[in-house]
Amino acid sequence: MKQSLFKAGLFCILFLGTTAVFGQKSVSTKVATKTISGKVTDAATRAPLAGVHVQAYGNDKFTAMTGEDGTYAIKVPEYVTSVAMQVEGYNLVQCAINKRSKGVDASLLSNVFVEQYQNRTLATKSTTAVGFDLSTDLSIEPQIEAKLGGDVRTITRSGLPGMGAVMFMNGLNSLSANAQPLIVLDGVLIDMQYNRSMVHDGYYNNLLSNLNVGDIEKVTVIKNGTAIYGAKGGNGVLLIDTKRNQSMATKIDFTMSGGFELTPMQPSMMDATQYRSYASELLGSTGTTLTEFKFLKVDKDYYYYNQYHNNTDWSKETYQNSFAQSYGINVQGGDDVADYNLSVGYTNSESTLKKNDFSRFNLRLNSDIRLFKNMTARFDASFSDVQRNLRDDGVTDDFTSSTVTSPGFLSLIKSPFLNPYAYDTQGRLSSFYDEADNYLDEVIGKNVSLANPSCILKYGDAKNKNSFSNNLITLAISPKYQINKRLYVSEHFSYTSVNSYENYYLPIKGVPTLTVDNNGTIYNIAKSLSSHQNGFFSDTKMSWNNQYGEHTIKVLGGARFINNTYNLNLQKGYNTGNDKMPNMSLSLYNKTTSGADDISRSLTYYANADYNYLEKYYLTGAVSMETSSAFGKEAKDGLKLGGVAWGLFPSIQGAWVVSSEPWFHSDGDIDYLKINVGYDLSGNDDINYTASRSYFTAQRILNSIDGLSIGNIGNTTLQWETTRRLTGGMDINMFNNKVNFQANVFKGWTSNLLTLKDIAFNSGLPNIWSNDGSLENFGYNVSINVKVLNSKKWKMEMGANVSHYENKITALSNNNKPFTTNIYGATVLTKVNSPVGVFYGYKTEGVYSTTEKANADGLYVITKTGTHQNFGAGDLKFTDLTPDGVINELDRTIIGNPNPDLFGNLFANLNCNHLTLNVVFNYSLGNDVYNYQRSILESGSRFYNQTTALTNRWTSEGQTTTIPKIQYGDVVGNGRFSDRWIEDGSYLRLKSLTLSYNLPMNNTYIKGFTVWGTASNLLTFTKYLGSDPEFSLGNSVLAQGIDRGLLAQGRTFTLGVRINL
Amino acid sequence: MHMKIKSILLAGLSLISMGMYTSCENMMDTTSNLVMFSKDNTLNQATDTVYSVMGIIGKMQAIADRTVLLGEIRGDLVELTPQASVDLQELAQFKVGTENVYNSAESYYAVINNCNFYLANVDTALKKRNEYVFMKEFAAVKTFRAWTYLQLATIYGSVPIITEPILTEAAANKVYPLYNIKQICNYFIDDLTPYIETPTPGYGAINGLDSKKFFLPTRVVLGDLCLWGERYLEAARFYHDYLTNITTQTNVVSTSLSQTIWNKDETTFSKMQNGYNYLFSTIGNVEIVSYIPMETTASEKGFSGLSNVFNSTIQNNYFYQATPSRKLFELSKAQSNCIVYSTNNKQDTLYAPTRNDVNPLWVGDLRLASVYSTKSDGTTINDGNPTTSSLYSSARQTISKLSTGHVLLYRRGQIYLRFAEAMNRAGFPESAFAILKYGLYQSNIDKYVDPVERSRAGILMYFSQYLFTPNNTLGIHSRGSGDAFANKNYVIPELPNQNDSINYVEDLICDETALETSFEGCRFFDLVRMALHRDDNLWLAQKIAERNGPANFDADLYKTVKERESWFLPLK
């Protein structure tokens, strides 16, 4: 019964349009008309413009053209409220027909300015960025940051080439599931592999770096109306569209560029003398009974003297200034059978961190074929191949279980009195790299030895050692049948395949023997990874539209099916024998394999209806209905049909063009005013695909047999996270369209947060996945764009936008029990009424200068074994929030919030004849950063080189300083997670400065010639002490604002030419 | 015409959508190569059950260390070093809260739930070659479950009893009846008794280990259940039947003659034959009846961390966290050790000196000296670590009982002591004492056990004279205290009534279990059981409070432990 009801309902939705088709008759030809006249001029010169196309807004049946004197007269139906005017070289303008005495005059702005009007107005809101031709970015995110930075909070992951950025929209809309927007590439919903394993530390497989930025036509941010993306649209949606041919003429573009990136700034580290003094002081706190140390001997004839008396800047061994080059050809053309756009490109970029180079080959064909009458088809194919070499990057999470393997970080902490090269028996420097250091063997033992970073770079260098390759293949066929002028059906079928391979090798030479995962002593590590992602996507759509006088209707409905599979095979083993045999093999010690084998499927029915009355009142309603293999069969809010649960996602948006109202005061300074409101319900389906089902997992028992045991108790009511969002906004153009002001506000409520909930102990499992907890986001985005200068020769435009969000957790699972998450030394608190991701640690009140002061407070810690340890002179004073004398977990409080108060960007464009200067700043204000790297470089508790700040360490009774005394092992925990490591991460950065010159050409062969130069990251204004205030160590919302010292972005200078043939 | 085309197209489209929709349930039902969904785990293939039984053993691994530490650290035979973690200290001080890492009923229920799933789903009716294919595993899994429930009950006092698999949240949240120790025992005595004749399964050698020993002897578990359940006679019967292998009367479970004893051919008491620690040196030794096989690499989940608690290892930087208690040293030293010295056809009983200045530990009972050794730091271990004294090195301690890396559950000496405990409580103190002093074989029984008691015991005192002989049987006390049979100090004194004798013998058994099974994780449970039998909280409190020696009596601890609630952990 239910089923048949459902079928009936479905039928209704799908054929809403059809009935309309059958019922429709041609529109009555007799409508009352009025004549509108006016004059169109150039806004810069005031000269009349001839040949301007004038039409009733949104209705191409009523058009006119301006004459030589710029005047026009157009006969339009009585109900028409505005006209659109357009001519080549100028931006479109929409003018309201108010009760004017003289007529509808307009002055058009040159198309070097940002476009402000669209051909079609919708109730939904989106922002679009175009014009990536002069970009040499390896992936699109820096352009999103520069052009859409107010709409999308974009945080560059690291300075490694093509690493891209973490993006968030409308605040943070999830806790444990993915919170980043859905990426829709040419209409296909893409799985971005956000939480997939990689074998190099600090690396993320950014699929967007497989896309050539030059191939991208536009990027659109959908601000509301995301319900049509069902359970995938809750975090916002980004549409990326690649270029298609627009004209019949054949166009060939050749682009070539070369770039140079400067080594990013590094923390200022101590030199050999300073470090030697530090190390000798630290020795005193190890309790060693030795009295002589090789590296402290001052006798120049001593055998080891030379070995321990160097002054090495290790960063010179691992960092470099790097070069990049890029070549591309784009051929566009078409005839009455087909349009095509073919592009081929090659990019190669070194990294400022040595041996992290990137190269990419890409090929893309987008074609539009007219098969026969009314039948067209798109056929797109693309291939890209990325090759890299890689090394571990960043500060490791855990110093106790492994040795440091990241060359960049090693170069900071490695003792400067050592040399990368070995000394021979005569005490002469040789040309062979030195082994891992051993100057502490006699005191602490071998497990504190640090590797020679040069050896990791050199002996880890080979295709089968430390490399990554990745290819992305997409194929799409989209036939479309135009049944009549108003109705079409189409099918979009696409196949996406991503294959990634990664090899990891930590050499023997120059690396200490190490203990990994308690596996005893090992000499080297080999890992390999291969992963395959296949996406099958089908979208069947039907669309119908019509205009009934003042009513315009467009209805669209369809079904979308997605099948994604992902499998991963990861192998790891130790002790390959020697550095010439880096491969995984059966003989390796303690080999392990792990992997993933995920399938996710979803089916979505959707319908969307746009309606407008008088091109003044707009209404859009959309609804989608989605089921997914990840949902539980009895999903809580689900509609149970056909044995599965469906989520229902409706949305409604309305807009009102106030300026088109007859009563609107037209003599004022406001040319255009639109107000919109909307309500959306969408979801987040990033659920572990097995979480809703009970299953057994295998555990290798005694190295022989797989034991099967209950691994999960399925939650059959598991469902998507639900986000309801109310949006409002306005759009104003003023002073003859010279000023554009936009404001958007949103308030979002996310409930059913996916969370691990405690389950009764008698189940034998700690927890199960459930939907529990909720959070809220409120925010706004304001932007202003001013055409400052508009003369015949000089044109200048400036703009700024400001975004803000507030985020608050409103409910949590397990009866709102707060919980903490430890990430790279940080403790992140998740608590009701707190924002997501706040830092939870100790407050400090300076360093005790005297024993007397320390004793007066009498604070102590309880060590792991329960003994009391008092704070003494030179120790930090931690705030004893629960005044009981003991500094323990109860004394922690919120010490920082990584969420910014304000972020966005500023830009200016200056255009003079053929010369254009473009400047973009981006900024983030009020966000706190936990400087994890600094907490290691200034903790004074290990034999690691420290920053020069440590030269001010407390050393003697009565000394007043902010840096506590150094102590091996840090018994009282001066280096613990405290406000000492929390910094203001605010910054303002000159993101890019581009000067381009478009050489006028009048040649049969060459149609255009552009040279340009870009400087990126030229200036950064910040108080932040780390190398780069912009970084992200992971995709999780809880991992934001934690600086683990990934490669910083350097200043980049690029020169390029573009030739149009 | 146009209308027609439209209609056809639309109809076609609707069919496509309908087709998509009707197969939804199958379409959304994905599969996996990494996990096995519960509906697919049908347990009707021989290999399925091996995987499931090994899965249960995997869950046993997770409770192995925990069970041992709960039994040992709360007892009176070890004390903690300053390096001991706070969680261990809480155990020792009887201040375990719900956050203590060793308080996890969940990991015991993980064994139980997997057992329950197996028992509910295995196809016991499946026959091949006229044999019930899964009967052995079925019985073995029932035994695992009963054993685990006994641990739970003795750790927590009373626990929810669940015998059906929990595979849904609703089932997990249901309220289950709470059973106390006796109720648990009674339930599982009935549950297990039908399977006493079912043989133990065996999958041959797995990773070089005899897989038969991964399973628990059903009769011994029944003996334990009866002993805890205060059904002493039945307990004695189950132990006896197990030891004498009543079904086949072959492969009897005798004590063997392994002992650590002073050289008998000299009178100087300066050399000893260390035969006791041999019992623990390899897991294949006949002494060892069953154990939880643990993984060999530390990175694996099922690796035993016990050696990091009791021994100096690289992982703990040689800082062990628990060491033999002063109480144990004193108890060990206080034993009277004698040897029957024979030379030139002369025989004499010589008593060992009670003081040894060369090796202070070589006094009294020698079992502690046999399995426990220390080295001052860095003298012999040359592993690249600093040999000089610093904050980062420590004296070294080795308890060789833990050298195999596996976790013992049952061994012969311990089963004999349980048998003695049961016999004694069942009213046969002399028989029980004979187990300690003489060893059970027919001529000893005839000679040393009062005939009245012997005839009352009947079959319980029957040990085949062909199978139990002086060549394979030894009094347990002789394993460390010399020739106990000849020791005039080791006797039951004349006491006013039998009840006094029983309590006296139980004290001897209690001390004997201390000497015999220290560091194996049963101490606290043994003490609780005996205290419950006596219904004497103070007896237990006294023992625990004297952990650091009677001279260092811990009054606070005494106050805590004399309350029975402190014996059990809070359930979470």
Side-chain angles (χ1 to χ4, degrees), chain A residues 533-550:
Chain A
Q533 176 190 326
N534 286 307
F536 171 97
F537 175 91
S538 159
D539 187 356
T540 313
K541 203 189 301 188
M542 179 172 215
S543 169
W544 173 85
N545 67 75
N546 203 357
Q547 212 164 8
Y548 302 91
E550 53 266 63

Side-chain angles (χ1 to χ4, degrees), chain B residues 325-397:
Chain B
S325 70
R326 280 163 275 182
K327 168 83 167 290
L328 179 59
F329 282 122
E330 288 180 23
L331 178 71
S332 188
K333 279 181 187 171
Q335 301 306 305
S336 166
N337 189 320
C338 73
I339 52 170
V340 177
Y341 173 76
S342 42
T343 179
N344 301 334
N345 300 327
K346 270 170 51 186
Q347 233 185 358
D348 197 3
T349 304
L350 299 181
Y351 287 83
T354 53
R355 182 175 154 180
N356 187 329
D357 291 338
V358 183
N359 289 304
L361 206 54
W362 293 12
V363 169
D365 196 279
L366 299 176
R367 275 171 281 190
L368 184 57
S370 168
V371 299
Y372 163 74
S373 62
T374 54
K375 284 189 187 108
S376 61
D377 61 277
T379 45
T380 56
I381 302 174
N382 184 11
D383 43 25
N385 276 281
T387 49
T388 44
S389 177
S390 78
L391 278 181
Y392 304 95
S393 67
S394 151
R396 317 277 159 107
Q397 167 178 302

Side-chain angles (χ1 to χ4, degrees), chain A residues 902-977:
Chain A
L902 297 173
F903 62 94
N905 38 32
L906 315 168
F907 79 92
N909 272 326
L910 180 66
N911 185 282
C912 172
N913 292 336
H914 302 285
L915 203 62
T916 306
L917 177 72
N918 170 266
V919 183
V920 180
F921 286 88
N922 69 317
Y923 67 89
S924 176
L925 297 177
N927 55 309
D928 291 321
V929 167
Y930 163 50
N931 193 337
Y932 176 58
Q933 176 172 268
R934 188 166 67 83
S935 83
I936 304 299
L937 296 182
E938 294 183 6
S939 67
S941 64
R942 294 183 182 86
F943 287 92
Y944 290 171
N945 194 16
Q946 306 279 295
T947 71
T948 46
L950 264 277
T951 54
N952 292 322
R953 64 185 177 269
W954 187 95
T955 51
S956 57
E957 191 74 16
Q959 182 188 348
T960 308
T961 175
T962 54
I963 309 283
K965 71 179 179 198
I966 59 176
Q967 185 182 39
Y968 187 67
D970 195 11
V971 181
V972 293
N974 287 327
R976 68 179 72 198
F977 182 57

Side-chain angles (χ1 to χ4, degrees), chain A residues 26-40:
Chain A
S26 59
V27 185
S28 157
T29 45
K30 270 276 173 246
V31 286
T33 57
K34 59 184 176 189
T35 303
I36 308 293
S37 60
K39 187 176 178 187
V40 184

Side-chain angles (χ1 to χ4, degrees), chain A residues 571-583:
Chain A
Q571 300 171 310
K572 189 163 85 171
Y574 306 114
N575 298 354
T576 64
N578 65 55
D579 285 336
K580 295 205 159 47
M581 307 197 306
N583 295 334

Side-chain angles (χ1 to χ4, degrees), chain B residues 479-549:
Chain B
R479 285 185 162 188
S481 285
D483 295 323
F485 63 86
N487 196 327
K488 295 199 170 58
N489 301 322
Y490 196 61
V491 291
I492 313 177
E494 283 297 320
L495 290 164
N497 57 48
Q498 204 206 17
N499 203 35
D500 289 344
S501 299
I502 287 175
N503 279 343
Y504 185 87
V505 171
E506 193 170 74
D507 281 336
L508 288 180
I509 294 171
C510 181
D511 288 348
E512 193 60 37
T513 56
L515 299 166
E516 176 65 22
T517 67
S518 54
F519 320 120
E520 292 172 39
C522 16
R523 183 57 175 174
F524 184 68
F525 300 117
D526 288 342
L527 292 179
V528 167
R529 189 174 61 243
M530 291 179 197
L532 289 173
H533 294 169
R534 294 163 180 244
D535 192 19
D536 187 352
N537 295 7
L538 303 182
W539 179 84
L540 174 63
Q542 184 75 22
K543 294 221 177 258
I544 303 294
E546 286 179 359
R547 183 189 283 151
N548 302 344

